[in-house]
Amino acid sequence: MLIGSQGRGPAPPGRVESDGHARGDNARDRGDWAEAVEEYKSYLSLEKEDFAIWVQYGHALKECGLYEDAQRAYGRAAVLNGSDPDLLLNQGHLSHIMGMYSQSFDYYKASYELDGNWPAVEMLSSPNVMNVSSESRIYWQVAVSFNKDYYLSQNEYLNGCSFKGIIDHYLSKGELGGYKPNEYFDPLFFSASAGLPLTENQPSLLRQYISSPELYDLSPSSIFDGNSYLNLNEDVRRASINPMAHYLAFGKIQPWRIRSTRVIPSSANVYLMAFRKKIIISDDVLLFSAFAPSGHLSTFQRDLLQCYSDAGYCVVLCLNVDRFDQRVDLVGAAADLILVRQNVGFDFGAWAHACLLIDGLSSVSSVSFANDSVAVVGGAAHLRKQRALVKSSGLDVAFATGSREIREHFQSYFFVMTTPALRRGGLKIVAETPAYSDKDELIHKVEVHLADKLSALGLKCGPLYSVAETDLSVHNPTIKHFDALLDVSPFFKVQLMTMGLLRADDARIQARLGERLIREIVTHVRQRNGTV
């Protein structure tokens, strides 16, 4: 009932209309689309020129499944303002729902060209739309490769220009001047690597790169290697999609993909990184170094990763391979961040690399250093007890064990830097480790002196586990006294089996490790040695 008929006098001018508008909005906000349709329809019978409500009316009709009526409502709004990017975007959505993909492409393209909005780019890259034609396949890849905000950060005087004006500037002046349309496309670098001239009256290099599959294996900049990305994501190569465009559109939201590809001149620093979660200050981060020459993790390595993850660590996998750009199998690996790198410098090389690359490590709760030279006996439950032991130990840097072999020192197969060590620069000691090619030299020059360098920072270092047999022994305790250590520690040195000191059927390990873990270790060693 209208307010004016309730005995309180006539409604003020415009009151009926605004109430209808408000009732429609309220119904929309409640998700009562049928009521919203009726209220907006009533309102528009009186206010026929209200562009915004014609758009809302179209939304409500679309939600009710009245697609043809929604088309007419959007069409009426377009008569009033046909250059509104949000309207065009929603017309694209409606056409997409109705299966009219060619028409939806036209709408999304028009919406994008007005203000460069990301929702339009996302829909242009949806399978049904991108495959409308060869032009649509190229167009969405060009669209996703132009980052308006990034370009404006290089040309602040363009702030306030229309999106079309910004695009025109890039095509007419920006590319020639070496300005980048996104972080990963460097016109000057690409011109040199592709042997294509960067001159006036030539097609845009960005468009040439996007539209020419024969150029996809080239690097568009010094920080993105197209060939590596395609090798690591073979589905992208099969689909003949530009690797940089795919990364910008999908790689950032698909956690199984390598997220950033960087090419650095030094072979020791060639790497790929994949981020699956953001590291936060409350995390206990674990840098896990694993050697997989072929790029395929063994079941033993995968279970180790899962064990550390289940124990509550934020796991960073440092995967050392023969060639950093080879195909790697990371599906299902329980790691929050993955660093694929050339096998240089052994475990310390991997840990140093991770410390240099990962921002914010010195601000987390703790950083542990581990590798695949030891098996975890007792599973995640034993590791959770170890985390509690670290917290109660009073140590700034806690090593699993000490040793008197070579000289008195603490062993590096597992150690953890707690908050005080991180705040006082402990990570810098690891990060500055040179990349040694000789393992014995690494042990003599780095491992046996590590605790001394950390102690020099005023840090308290010590072992988590010790037994009477190891206190006076000059032998490696993880080898000579492994059985005594297993009484208190969760770690078993895989070297005992690789060196032939223990057989798989040895009764001393059968009961402690179990058949499954022993079988995984044996298979892991064979795979690494190339005998499987």
Side-chain angles (χ1 to χ4, degrees), residues 491-511:
F491 299 117
F492 172 80
K493 200 73 171 176
V494 173
Q495 189 180 14
L496 285 161
M497 297 179 70
T498 61
M499 293 176 62
L501 300 175
L502 289 176
R503 290 169 50 90
D505 58 359
D506 192 303
R508 289 176 294 173
I509 60 171
Q510 282 279 342

Side-chain angles (χ1 to χ4, degrees), residues 6-22:
Q6 294 180 334
R8 288 183 283 174
R15 178 66 179 274
V16 173
E17 292 83 351
S18 62
D19 279 357
H21 176 312

Side-chain angles (χ1 to χ4, degrees), residues 432-493:
E432 293 178 347
T433 303
Y436 288 90
S437 58
D438 183 277
K439 190 170 185 178
D440 287 336
E441 187 179 12
L442 174 67
I443 292 171
H444 283 78
K445 292 188 175 180
V446 177
E447 183 184 38
V448 299
H449 298 288
L450 178 59
D452 297 336
K453 291 183 178 181
L454 292 166
S455 297
L457 297 177
L459 300 172
K460 183 179 181 181
C461 303
L464 291 172
Y465 308 108
S466 64
V467 292
E469 290 89 334
T470 68
D471 290 342
L472 299 176
S473 175
V474 294
H475 300 287
N476 183 340
T478 61
I479 302 296
K480 185 68 173 178
H481 306 291
F482 76 91
D483 47 352
L485 278 174
L486 277 176
D487 290 334
V488 296
S489 160
F491 299 117
F492 172 80
K493 200 73 171 176

Side-chain angles (χ1 to χ4, degrees), residues 190-209:
F190 182 70
S191 174
S193 65
L196 295 172
L198 185 59
T199 58
E200 293 186 46
N201 304 317
Q202 292 289 331
S204 161
L205 287 182
L206 177 63
R207 186 175 179 87
Q208 289 187 70
Y209 174 53

Side-chain angles (χ1 to χ4, degrees), residues 93-166:
H93 292 337
L94 178 60
S95 297
H96 193 270
I97 291 171
M98 297 174 72
M100 298 185 294
Y101 302 124
S102 179
Q103 188 176 82
S104 67
F105 168 75
D106 292 336
Y107 282 128
Y108 291 136
K109 178 182 178 184
S111 176
Y112 166 76
E113 290 182 350
L114 283 168
D115 66 357
N117 67 89
W118 185 251
V121 175
E122 288 185 310
M123 292 307 300
L124 284 165
S125 61
S126 63
N128 289 326
V129 177
M130 76 161 74
N131 291 317
V132 163
S133 66
S134 58
E135 172 59 24
S136 65
R137 284 179 62 81
I138 294 172
Y139 187 87
W140 78 263
Q141 294 177 80
V142 173
V144 79
S145 299
F146 190 86
N147 184 322
K148 178 180 68 174
D149 292 335
Y150 184 85
Y151 191 68
L152 286 176
S153 70
Q154 305 166 81
N155 301 276
E156 294 182 358
Y157 66 91
L158 293 175
N159 281 311
C161 288
S162 67
F163 183 65
K164 184 178 185 304
I166 297 169

